[in-house]
Amino acid sequence: MTQEPPAPARTAPNSALDLDALTAAVGERPDRPAAWRFVRTFARDWSARPLTGADGRTPAELDAARDRLGLPLPAALREAHQLFGMRGDLTSNQDTLLAPQDLYLDGDRGVLVFRVENQSCAYWGIRVTDLGQDDPPVVCRLDVPGPTADDWTDWLDRLSVAFVELVLSEALCADDDLMGWTDPADIPPEFGRLPLPEYPISQRPGSRWYAHDEIIIRDDHGTALLRARTEAALDRFDGEYDGI
């Protein structure tokens, strides 16, 4: 699997994001703990409340899922569920992170499915052949007529990075009063590109992330969805850029 290296992080003033953790999480040397540091900081600064010990699934729940499926669960999947698997506001505002008891095997294609689009139009999973890896690549497929064994395509090359993307994407839909849209061509130059790879890594162009002044933007090459951390930040964006 090949992909372009993540874009170098540019300064995103007052973004309220842990850019050091994000840069380490997506770097050439795998750093899963950095991904979870980023999620912790993001939950603290962009959600209703910080993460607590009550927000994760239990090891017993994950062991039961493993035993039911008869398949190993990668360390990154277990760690994410144990850290924030119970926080629907971080994982399931638009699409759904499946609970351990709902994980299932797409047996025809040999993929363990862990996330489903809200109208079952897309699915995210891990190939069975990759389940022995601690932080395996993630694949995605669209619900199209005439599915084949080859309709899963590469999404991101590490599950921990896919969970960072999941939390960011779900934040876009967490609060209607703090979200908006803009034309990708109108993203101001002050907005620095975040060091996430362009994805899906199996196609170009793909989605890219930007941030500045307590605003995050996902550019999907056709439309760009944004989320502000506060009403004041959204008002600044609307007033300065007339962007939504």
Side-chain angles (χ1 to χ4, degrees), residues 4 7 187 193-194 196-199 204-210 217-221 224-225:
E4 67 174 19
I187 296 174
R193 184 177 165 191
L194 296 181
L196 281 164
E198 186 174 337
Y199 68 96
R204 294 292 183 275
S207 295
R208 297 179 175 185
W209 285 87
Y210 297 84
I217 298 177
R218 190 185 68 203
D219 171 9
D220 294 326
H221 291 272
L225 185 59

Side-chain angles (χ1 to χ4, degrees), residues 157-231:
D157 69 353
R158 276 184 240 155
L159 180 56
S160 59
V161 177
F163 270 111
V164 168
E165 187 279 335
L166 180 157
V167 168
L168 286 169
S169 287
E170 294 303 317
L172 295 175
C173 304
D175 188 332
D176 290 345
D177 293 333
L178 294 175
M179 65 179 290
W181 291 264
T182 190
D183 189 317
D186 294 333
I187 296 174
E190 297 93 326
F191 277 69
R193 184 177 165 191
L194 296 181
L196 281 164
E198 186 174 337
Y199 68 96
I201 61 175
S202 54
Q203 69 181 52
R204 294 292 183 275
S207 295
R208 297 179 175 185
W209 285 87
Y210 297 84
H212 174 72
D213 195 22
E214 300 184 298
I215 300 280
I216 55 174
I217 298 177
R218 190 185 68 203
D219 171 9
D220 294 326
H221 291 272
T223 187
L225 185 59
L226 66 88
R227 159 76 192 281
R229 192 172 78 91
T230 65
E231 291 183 5

Side-chain angles (χ1 to χ4, degrees), residues 48-232:
R49 59 180 177 82
L51 288 172
T52 72
D55 290 331
R57 302 287 180 176
T58 66
E61 289 178 278
L62 292 158
D63 289 345
R66 176 200 62 201
D67 295 343
R68 172 178 60 83
L69 293 163
L71 296 168
L73 299 184
L77 183 66
R78 295 182 66 101
E79 290 165 0
H81 271 283
Q82 289 179 232
L83 180 61
F84 56 93
M86 296 286 288
R87 285 289 295 271
D89 63 314
L90 296 175
T91 65
S92 302
N93 294 307
Q94 171 69 20
D95 306 324
T96 301
L97 175 66
L98 297 179
Q101 64 269 25
D102 296 324
L103 297 171
Y104 70 91
L105 178 65
D106 181 342
D108 292 338
R109 304 170 183 86
V111 173
L112 177 66
V113 180
F114 69 88
R115 185 187 182 199
V116 178
E117 194 267 344
N118 70 332
Q119 295 182 326
S120 297
C121 293
Y123 306 83
W124 291 262
I126 307 159
R127 295 190 187 278
V128 170
T129 52
D130 292 330
L131 289 176
Q133 300 180 37
D134 287 341
D135 202 357
V138 171
V139 292
C140 180
R141 77 170 178 88
L142 301 179
D143 188 20
V144 294
T148 71
D150 299 322
D151 57 2
W152 286 92
T153 59
D154 298 331
W155 178 250
L156 282 162
D157 69 353
R158 276 184 240 155
L159 180 56
S160 59
V161 177
F163 270 111
V164 168
E165 187 279 335
L166 180 157
V167 168
L168 286 169
S169 287
E170 294 303 317
L172 295 175
C173 304
D175 188 332
D176 290 345
D177 293 333
L178 294 175
M179 65 179 290
W181 291 264
T182 190
D183 189 317
D186 294 333
I187 296 174
E190 297 93 326
F191 277 69
R193 184 177 165 191
L194 296 181
L196 281 164
E198 186 174 337
Y199 68 96
I201 61 175
S202 54
Q203 69 181 52
R204 294 292 183 275
S207 295
R208 297 179 175 185
W209 285 87
Y210 297 84
H212 174 72
D213 195 22
E214 300 184 298
I215 300 280
I216 55 174
I217 298 177
R218 190 185 68 203
D219 171 9
D220 294 326
H221 291 272
T223 187
L225 185 59
L226 66 88
R227 159 76 192 281
R229 192 172 78 91
T230 65
E231 291 183 5

